[in-house]
Amino acid sequence: MVLVNFRLAIAPFPSGQDPLLPWFSLFEGRSAATFVTLAGIGLGLATARLARVQAISQTCRRAVFLLAVGLLNFILFPADIIHYYAFYFFAACLLLKLPERWLLAALCLTLAAAFAMQLTLDYGRGWNWDTLSYEGFWTPAGFARNLLLNGWHPVLPCLGWALRYGGYGCRGSLWPALTHNGN
């Protein structure tokens, strides 16, 4: 994932002259969804046996750490994904121990909100497409817009992957069947 984002954000070779382009193109568009899904599964499994207060406390501490590291990393590498993970984890704090039907409702609302935002808001606002830089990131409005709508890995819809396959998926009856060792 770092390699894909590095190539997109830093552009070490002129357009069309990247000798590794065929290899990088195999991973584009897949790595973010894969890692968000794995984070959701990991978070769901890591907190499954914890009490609600313990799970929320542990997840919030991790989210604060990810936010600090991600914002520092953003200064050097504008295609940072770490600060987005912090907000996936903050959202998970609200959803960790909800019943499955409420988690499924949250998933539907997340995806519907993402879809509505894409249709009604200006996706290009804040972006300089020539330099792939984002103007106003450090302002409250710019940060929120980048975080939710048009950043490199916006919370909406990416949170849907974490909810669907992580939070909801690791609770379902599929996981015991896959992990059953015959005993």
Side-chain angles (χ1 to χ4, degrees):
M1 191 156 134
V2 169
L3 294 175
V4 171
N5 284 345
F6 177 80
R7 189 187 69 74
L8 290 174
I10 306 299
F13 297 99
S15 180
Q17 297 179 14
D18 187 343
L20 299 176
L21 183 62
W23 295 103
F24 284 128
S25 63
L26 292 173
F27 302 106
E28 284 184 14
R30 296 167 186 86
S31 57
T34 300
F35 282 105
V36 170
T37 299
L38 290 174
I41 292 169
L43 188 59
L45 294 175
T47 59
R49 294 188 178 151
L50 297 177
R52 180 177 170 76
V53 173
Q54 270 185 303
I56 290 171
S57 174
Q58 176 182 308
T59 304
C60 282
R61 282 194 313 269
R62 290 177 178 174
V64 167
F65 174 77
L66 289 172
L67 182 60
V69 169
L71 291 177
L72 286 173
N73 189 45
F74 182 86
I75 294 169
L76 301 173
F77 184 62
D80 170 72
I81 192 172
I82 300 169
H83 72 282
Y84 292 105
Y85 275 87
F87 286 93
Y88 304 149
F89 278 39
F90 282 132
C93 287
L94 302 172
L95 306 170
L96 274 173
K97 298 294 182 173
L98 288 180
E100 287 184 19
R101 69 176 183 274
W102 288 102
L103 200 55
L104 191 57
L107 166 65
C108 293
L109 286 172
T110 299
L111 296 178
F115 185 67
M117 287 174 65
Q118 293 292 325
L119 291 177
T120 59
L121 300 176
D122 180 10
Y123 183 83
R125 187 168 179 201
W127 279 105
N128 179 338
W129 296 112
D130 295 328
T131 62
L132 291 180
S133 60
Y134 200 86
E135 302 297 324
F137 176 82
W138 295 106
T139 66
F143 186 83
R145 185 177 53 248
N146 181 275
L147 181 70
L148 297 173
L149 172 68
N150 66 356
W152 288 94
H153 309 283
V155 171
L156 302 172
C158 290
L159 180 60
W161 286 100
L163 289 174
R164 168 58 185 105
Y165 296 105
Y168 184 73
C170 70
R171 293 182 188 186
S173 59
L174 172 66
W175 291 103
L178 289 177
T179 58
H180 182 58
N181 62 8
N183 293 331

